[in-house]
Amino acid sequence: MGHLIVEVDNNSAAQLAGILPGWQLVSIDGQLVRDVIDYELFTSVESLSIGLVRPDGTAVDVHIDKESWEPLGLSFESGLMSPVRQCANHCVFCFIDQMPRGNRETLYFKDDDWRLSLIMGNYVTLTNVSEAEFRRIIDRRVAPLYISVHATDGDVRRNMMRNGSAGLIMERLRALRSAGLIFHSQIVLCPGLNDGDVLRRTLGDLYSLSPEARSVAIVPVGLTAHREGLYPLVPLSREDALSAIRLVDEFSAANEAYGFAFCSDEMYLRAGLELPPCKFYGSFDQIENGVGLFRLFEDGFVSALEEHSPVAPRIFDSVSGVAIADSICKLLHRLEPYGIQVNNHAVKNRFFGESVTVSGLVTARDIAEQTSGKLTGDALLIPSTMLRENGDVFLDGITVDELGRSIGRPVLPLPADDGEAFIERLFCICGVKQS
């Protein structure tokens, strides 16, 4: 079956060859196109023959000559050119299983698709990948992959993920290494399951696969207040976080593995420790896991701020999760000599439960309820990570405009992962034209 073409880019190689929307792509150089991975690989050549089917069912072959780097110019019904693969695990720590009921359906979809790992950096487990499909990963030279490992001990991983094939992880990772394919790893740390000696072994096993194994992030398990009937996990305590950080530091020192294993910012905040300096994080390979995120944000914030002059006085409010609130307040205090005062409000997460303390999971209802009568500025600044999919909707389904009407002030999303962009946007709001 072919892939329906919904758009052809103007002046693209495909348009110049006469290909039209409504046609179906079937093959390239005689090879069936299964999905976007095949499409991108097969079209990265200078000369190709494309098998298509017109709307009337007529098959046609079109020959195209182009630069190897030049996109063909076709868009399809879905970005992957096939359905997203669902998760086959029943992880004891799954965050989606802990979601409150009654929200939009998209919040409950569990994807575990290695193609999204390549394209978007999503973490995948490889438990729903057949041997034939895994061979395709190798043959297509798919890298880098981002892999949720959690434990390299097969029994521990099977127990945590409730999937019989989960124990094959080291076999799969060794195959990636043998093929020279780079991957990054993730460990969701669950007290009593994969900490202590299990964590130490996992770090050792992963490091043995270097340099293809480029990095590993250790993040604390996220537990909500909606765990009725689920596995009896306990949250990572301050002592647990301290022990894990010390173990990772000791491992790095003993193996001279600096720049390989990193604890997330949330681990340091939970342990009550200062975050390491920017240079500790190297190329920030694990930034999407919250590893070094605040340090990088802070570095960009301070550097960009030094390029500005004071503005006419302005007062704003802002909100954050509880975990980062103190650090955010200290950073925002640097704005005051420039005429900008930002009063930050730490918002407790009552939507998921107060054990969830990160900013990205704060909802509009919690913001409205907990800032009522406390706002003094003329607008409310929020981190853009509180909004879903780069849109204007919070996790509880309330839009930015709806929240603004509720609190009687404009709500202004600002970049949460780029301190320089944050400063430039803020000064633009204050009337400073961007250069």
Side-chain angles (χ1 to χ4, degrees):
M1 183 177 177
H3 302 281
L4 181 64
I5 299 168
V6 296
E7 187 176 349
V8 181
D9 294 345
N10 287 332
N11 299 316
S12 65
Q15 186 186 61
L16 296 175
I19 299 174
L20 298 172
W23 293 18
Q24 293 190 46
L25 170 68
V26 177
S27 64
I28 297 175
D29 289 332
Q31 303 180 84
L32 291 177
V33 178
R34 297 172 60 176
D35 56 21
V36 68
I37 302 298
D38 284 351
Y39 174 78
E40 293 293 345
L41 177 66
F42 298 163
T43 59
S44 61
V45 295
E46 295 182 351
S47 180
L48 60 159
S49 179
I50 305 175
L52 302 131
V53 176
R54 292 174 175 151
D56 63 2
T58 303
V60 60
D61 287 320
V62 175
H63 184 82
I64 291 178
D65 291 314
K66 64 179 186 64
E67 300 292 341
S68 59
W69 50 262
E70 183 183 357
L72 188 57
L74 301 178
S75 296
F76 303 91
E77 289 182 288
S78 73
L80 288 177
M81 300 172 63
S82 72
V84 176
R85 293 172 185 171
Q86 296 191 49
C87 183
N89 307 311
H90 302 280
C91 296
V92 298
F93 52 84
C94 178
F95 195 83
I96 293 177
D97 287 344
Q98 307 175 66
M99 293 277 288
R101 299 295 99 186
N103 295 288
R104 61 188 187 279
E105 287 300 315
T106 54
L107 293 179
Y108 304 102
F109 182 79
K110 302 179 185 180
D111 70 78
D112 191 14
D113 197 314
W114 63 266
R115 297 167 302 176
L116 292 177
S117 185
L118 175 68
I119 296 167
M120 301 177 63
N122 290 12
Y123 273 87
V124 293
T125 66
L126 299 180
T127 58
N128 61 353
V129 177
S130 67
E131 286 303 317
E133 188 71 0
F134 187 69
R135 174 47 53 188
R136 184 167 172 252
I137 292 174
I138 301 293
D139 292 342
R140 297 290 187 262
R141 310 296 301 163
V142 175
L145 283 175
Y146 295 81
I147 302 171
S148 290
V149 173
H150 310 312
T152 53
D153 182 302
D155 291 336
V156 173
R157 194 170 192 255
R158 277 190 293 269
N159 181 48
M160 292 182 70
M161 301 176 68
R162 304 292 178 87
N163 186 316
S165 65
L168 301 174
I169 186 61
M170 281 301 293
E171 179 182 323
R172 290 275 169 92
L173 297 182
R174 290 190 189 103
L176 293 176
R177 185 194 184 216
S178 295
L181 299 180
I182 294 168
F183 62 92
H184 301 274
S185 305
Q186 175 194 63
I187 297 169
V188 174
L189 201 62
C190 301
L193 292 181
N194 63 339
D195 52 356
D197 289 339
V198 176
L199 175 60
R200 189 176 289 106
R201 172 181 168 177
T202 300
L203 294 176
D205 286 344
L206 291 174
Y207 191 59
S208 72
L209 303 178
S210 299
E212 285 73 21
R214 286 293 169 88
S215 70
V216 56
I218 301 93
V219 304
V221 62
L223 303 179
T224 78
H226 307 277
R227 292 193 53 80
E228 298 82 2
L230 299 179
Y231 189 94
L233 291 172
V234 295
L236 210 71
S237 67
R238 180 177 183 273
E239 291 72 25
D240 293 329
L242 278 168
S243 294
I245 292 169
R246 290 189 186 118
L247 187 154
V248 172
D249 288 345
E250 290 167 3
F251 171 84
S252 298
N255 295 277
E256 295 187 354
Y258 302 106
F260 176 72
F262 303 93
C263 290
S264 68
D265 293 2
E266 189 180 357
M267 293 275 284
Y268 284 93
L269 294 170
R270 195 166 295 199
L273 298 177
E274 283 289 320
L275 295 172
C278 241
K279 63 181 181 181
F280 174 81
Y281 297 102
S283 56
F284 290 88
D285 289 328
Q286 292 280 358
I287 195 77
E288 295 298 328
N289 255 323
V291 172
L293 180 61
F294 184 75
R295 274 291 179 250
L296 187 62
F297 180 89
E298 179 185 50
D299 187 65
F301 182 107
V302 172
S303 296
L305 186 58
E306 292 173 350
E307 300 298 318
H308 283 276
S309 302
V311 298
R314 292 289 299 272
I315 299 177
F316 298 98
D317 291 283
S318 67
V319 289
S320 72
V322 172
I324 199 69
D326 288 345
S327 298
I328 286 289
C329 287
K330 291 177 184 177
L331 190 58
L332 293 176
H333 184 68
R334 290 174 174 262
L335 293 166
E336 293 182 6
Y338 294 81
I340 303 173
Q341 179 181 333
V342 183
N343 302 313
N344 188 65
H345 305 266
V347 178
K348 296 179 180 179
N349 199 318
R350 291 175 182 143
F351 183 82
F352 288 109
E354 292 188 15
S355 62
V356 176
T357 59
V358 296
S359 296
L361 295 176
V362 169
T363 61
R365 286 189 183 89
D366 282 341
I367 292 172
E369 291 172 2
Q370 295 176 46
T371 61
S372 178
K374 300 177 182 178
L375 300 177
T376 58
D378 54 14
L380 177 67
L381 311 178
I382 66 167
S384 56
T385 49
M386 290 181 179
L387 306 176
R388 300 302 92 198
E389 300 172 356
N390 299 315
D392 66 346
V393 180
F394 290 85
L395 271 172
D396 54 3
I398 296 174
T399 68
V400 168
D401 287 344
E402 288 169 341
L403 175 60
R405 288 193 294 270
S406 173
I407 65 174
R409 287 167 174 78
V411 177
L412 307 176
L414 268 67
D417 55 358
D418 186 334
E420 181 178 353
F422 179 99
I423 287 296
E424 297 309 320
R425 173 66 179 139
L426 180 59
F427 274 78
C428 183
I429 292 168
C430 293
V432 177
K433 293 183 179 180
Q434 291 182 293
S435 58

